[in-house]
Amino acid sequence: MSSEQTSFERKIEQEIAVEPKDWMPDGYRKTLVRQIGQHAHSEVVGMLPEANWLTRAPSLRRKAVLLAKIQDEAGHGLYLYSAAETLGGERHDLYEKMLTGEMKYSSIFNYPTLSWADVGVVGWLVDGAAIVNQVALCRTSYGPYARAMVRICKEESFHQRQGYEACRALADGSEDQKAMLQDSINRWWWPALMMFGPNDSESPNSAKSMAWKIKRVSNDDLRQKFVDNTVHQVLALGMTIPDPDLKWNEETGHYEFGEINWDEFNQVIHGHGICNHERLKDKRDAWEAGAWVREAAVAYSKKQMECAA
Ligand code: FAQ
């Protein structure tokens, strides 16, 4: 083993953050660019389902809160693209790979937001699931990714609470509002569980990512944590969970839950979900419409550099 490799292994073992200028194995770098890139794409594609309700928010306060939340997601995308750039992942290149479908983004954003309740449920369940995953990633072995996660988690916690508060208002409302909330939970519950990825035994990247401490907790353990955290929140709203197999296991201290529809998951991550086509079209249109902004920004920065020289 080379001295560089030994030094890398020692850092991983002793939980010393790996930094951009440190030597790292090619596979480690590639895995990080893939995961961080996918994570960044999820943040920016994830703006679309909620944006669908910006012009129809039920009050000025709800609209202002939603606008701020969506802007936060754009910011998360920027932190993450910057972290990927520290590994040599070129932002344009990553973004174009997302637009052509070569790189993935989270399955969850290929489902439609059909009612106002969906906006609350996305904040509560989707940001809630994202936090469970991201809190673990605050201890990921790559320094810039871990530091981005700390900032992101703070904002996601606010998002989760605002989503729950919006759901609480519906749960305390009329029979129609309660029914709208229940319908939304029914549609988002299973896709939220899919956010954690395939079962550990079916996850091709997990073993290596866990050994490198990129992932700190396995897909199944994170999913279990989310279920354990969330069931009582659903019940506290007076709602139910669309899973007849859900039950508390006294011995393990965890909820048992039914089998995820993996066929649906695979369809969605391979481009055949309800909104895959629409999401990518919206992103491609925005990319083309924004070309002049990128050109103007480059021209402006060149001018600034000329003036400074
Ligand atoms: N969707 O071997 P594994 C958010 C792919 S942020 C799509 O287990 P890995 C904030 C996976 O890429 C949500 N694809 O993979 C927000 C791989 O394909 P590849 C995003 C998925 O990487 C809220 C293949 O399946 N969060 O929501 C999914 O070890 C509201 C095999 O899977 C992150 O990205 C999926 N659900 O584990 C924004 C967190 N699951 O690349 C707006 C960071 C798996 O080999 C509004 N990422 N795949 O072609 C991770 O923790 C991991 O990448 C996992 C997957 C756990 C997602």
Side-chain angles (χ1 to χ4, degrees):
M1 202 186 277
S2 69
S3 65
E4 288 164 323
Q5 174 102 30
T6 310
S7 157
F8 172 80
E9 301 288 346
R10 189 180 52 82
K11 282 193 172 147
I12 299 294
E13 195 188 311
Q14 296 179 357
E15 316 231 330
I16 300 168
V18 177
E19 295 296 339
K21 288 188 177 154
D22 294 345
W23 183 90
M24 59 188 85
D26 275 353
Y28 178 83
R29 186 186 296 276
K30 276 194 195 128
T31 300
L32 277 168
V33 171
R34 178 186 64 77
Q35 177 167 324
I36 300 173
Q38 173 182 295
H39 196 163
H41 301 330
S42 304
E43 299 285 353
V44 298
V45 177
M47 296 163 74
L48 296 171
E50 288 168 293
N52 182 34
W53 281 87
L54 264 181
T55 54
R56 292 174 288 166
S59 69
L60 183 59
R61 183 176 88 86
R62 294 278 179 212
K63 185 175 173 133
V65 171
L66 185 59
L67 195 56
K69 182 202 186 285
I70 294 170
Q71 284 176 340
D72 284 353
E73 307 298 359
H76 299 173
L78 294 181
Y79 302 156
L80 287 162
Y81 285 122
S82 298
E85 281 183 321
T86 66
L87 291 153
E90 219 273 305
R91 188 180 300 214
H92 268 219
D93 177 55
L94 292 174
Y95 203 79
E96 275 168 7
K97 283 185 172 138
M98 184 265 288
L99 294 179
T100 58
E102 200 182 318
M103 272 184 91
K104 297 184 174 76
Y105 57 87
S106 183
S107 50
I108 193 76
F109 303 117
N110 293 305
Y111 291 86
T113 40
L114 302 178
S115 69
W116 170 253
D118 287 4
V119 172
V121 168
V122 167
W124 165 37
L125 294 184
V126 175
D127 284 84
I131 295 170
V132 169
N133 180 303
Q134 291 171 169
V135 164
L137 287 172
C138 291
R139 293 187 301 112
T140 191
S141 55
Y142 187 58
Y145 193 23
R147 291 191 285 276
M149 283 297 110
V150 173
R151 296 182 67 169
I152 289 176
C153 281
K154 288 190 180 145
E155 291 177 355
E156 299 287 33
S157 302
F158 160 78
H159 296 168
Q160 198 260 352
R161 280 171 214 182
Q162 71 81 30
Y164 192 74
E165 192 268 336
C167 292
R168 175 87 264 167
L170 294 174
D172 290 341
S174 66
E175 287 310 309
D176 281 352
Q177 286 172 316
K178 287 180 190 166
M180 180 167 68
L181 177 60
Q182 184 63 63
D183 170 64
S184 179
I185 294 169
N186 292 348
R187 285 181 289 106
W188 289 90
W189 177 257
W190 290 105
L193 297 196
M194 293 176 197
M195 286 175 71
F196 298 94
N199 285 335
D200 294 345
S201 57
E202 303 293 324
S203 161
N205 300 299
S206 275
K208 221 48 190 134
S209 287
M210 295 288 281
W212 278 325
K213 297 187 182 166
I214 292 174
K215 282 164 96 166
R216 303 306 308 258
V217 183
S218 81
N219 295 3
D220 285 335
D221 288 350
L222 288 171
R223 187 170 11 251
Q224 182 68 57
K225 193 169 173 45
F226 173 72
V227 172
D228 290 343
N229 284 352
T230 313
V231 170
H232 70 273
Q233 297 171 4
V234 178
L235 302 180
L237 291 176
M239 298 288 132
T240 59
I241 293 170
D243 179 357
D245 297 322
L246 185 87
K247 60 172 186 290
W248 175 249
N249 183 323
E250 198 65 56
E251 277 173 28
T252 61
H254 294 293
Y255 280 97
E256 288 173 9
F257 52 95
E259 184 64 15
I260 288 169
N261 183 342
W262 292 116
D263 184 45
E264 176 180 322
F265 171 77
N266 283 316
Q267 290 287 329
V268 175
I269 69 169
H270 290 111
H272 310 297
I274 308 172
C275 297
N276 293 61
H277 181 76
E278 180 185 331
R279 299 287 183 246
L280 283 185
K281 182 181 180 309
D282 286 351
K283 280 291 164 197
R284 278 190 212 114
D285 289 351
W287 181 247
E288 281 163 26
W292 71 270
V293 180
R294 294 191 297 279
E295 280 162 26
V298 170
Y300 179 75
S301 71
K302 275 188 186 151
K303 199 83 198 147
Q304 293 283 90
M305 284 198 295
E306 276 168 27
C307 292

